[in-house]
Structures are given as C-alpha cells and as structure tokens.
Amino acid sequence: SVTEEPVNLNAKPNTEGALEVMYGFVDIMNATSRLVASLTDRGLASGAEAGALAGESLADRFIGQLETILGRGFGGVDGTPGTFLSDLGIRTERDGTLFLDEARFTAAMTEDPSRLSPLLKDTLVADNATVTGTPLDAPGPAIQFHRL
C-alpha cells in the first residue's frame, strides 16, 4: 500500500546464511586442495600409482599461490590490511585443510557484519570492458581483458 507517513525499516545481518556460505567456501577450498594433492601425488609413500600431474611444477605453484591469496587480507585499502580469514574463524589445519570455527565466525559477524563483505564482493571496475577467451591449446593466456 502507499503511505505518506514515514516508515521505519529494520534489517539485521543473516548470520545463518553467511555461515552456510562460509562452510561452502571451506568445502570448495578443501576439495580443491585434495584434488590437486591426489593429481600431484608421486605415489612414493603409499606405493600407489602416481597422479596424472605428478612432478608438474605448475600444479605446485597453483597451490602455493592459492595459499598466499588466502593468507593475505581481503579488501584492505589505503594501507589497511582488510579482513583475514582468521578474523572470521577460519584456520589452516596441519594438513593444509581449512577449518571453520562456527563460534568464532558467529562472534565476528555479531561484532562487525561488514567483515564478510570483502570476501564476497569484487572490486573490479571498468568502463566498457570486454572479456575474451582463447582455446586452451592455443599459445598465450587463456583469458584476456580489454578496455574499449
């Protein structure tokens, strides 16, 4: 209905929904780590057959870069560090997998719900940008960004 009187709207963060998103994030990261580990396994310790990418340095660099990205802060500007995964209750276990501490996550979201924003939104901005792809078997980068 239409009203001419002021209307107050109250909103609160959806901590349960955010927790579900973060569990999904942790699951995807752990699945990716397990997949790369199995593909790069040399089979020496277990006597099993070597993975399809055993000895491939690119796969090792991929995991190293992924760990670097996850270890730095997200969303920091003007010298501020931004949000770290540890600020949200996510820690790296000894085996390299991620673990989400639900109590720490809920406490962090209760204290400051905006901490999650840098992880969920991108900051890519461009006027008239296009993205083109190159076939995987072609030389050169697989994705190229062009400004029109």
Side-chain angles (χ1 to χ4, degrees):
S1 67
V2 177
T3 180
E4 293 183 19
E5 299 297 317
V7 176
N8 290 324
L9 297 176
N10 294 317
K12 66 178 187 170
N14 181 353
T15 303
E16 294 81 21
L19 182 62
E20 185 176 325
V21 167
M22 292 312 293
Y23 270 125
F25 171 78
V26 167
D27 289 345
I28 288 169
M29 297 311 302
N30 288 339
T32 300
S33 293
R34 283 192 300 274
L35 174 63
V36 173
S38 70
L39 290 172
T40 58
D41 185 8
R42 296 175 191 256
L44 302 175
S46 63
E49 186 175 321
L53 298 176
E56 178 59 54
S57 63
L58 181 62
D60 294 332
R61 284 197 317 259
F62 168 75
I63 288 297
Q65 288 180 347
L66 191 59
E67 290 170 350
T68 298
I69 290 168
L70 295 177
R72 69 176 187 221
F74 292 84
V77 293
D78 298 328
T80 61
T83 299
F84 291 89
L85 293 179
S86 59
D87 296 335
L88 299 170
I90 297 175
R91 69 175 183 256
T92 303
E93 298 290 279
R94 288 181 184 248
D95 64 359
T97 58
L98 298 180
F99 174 81
L100 175 60
D101 181 328
E102 188 172 327
R104 285 192 61 200
F105 177 82
T106 302
M109 289 297 295
T110 300
E111 180 184 318
D112 182 6
S114 69
R115 284 182 172 173
L116 190 58
S117 291
L119 276 71
L120 300 178
K121 68 177 184 176
D122 67 53
T123 56
L124 299 175
V125 178
D127 294 327
N128 301 318
T130 62
V131 177
T132 59
T134 306
L136 292 177
D137 57 352
I143 296 177
Q144 299 173 351
F145 294 90
H146 300 281
R147 181 172 240 165
L148 298 176

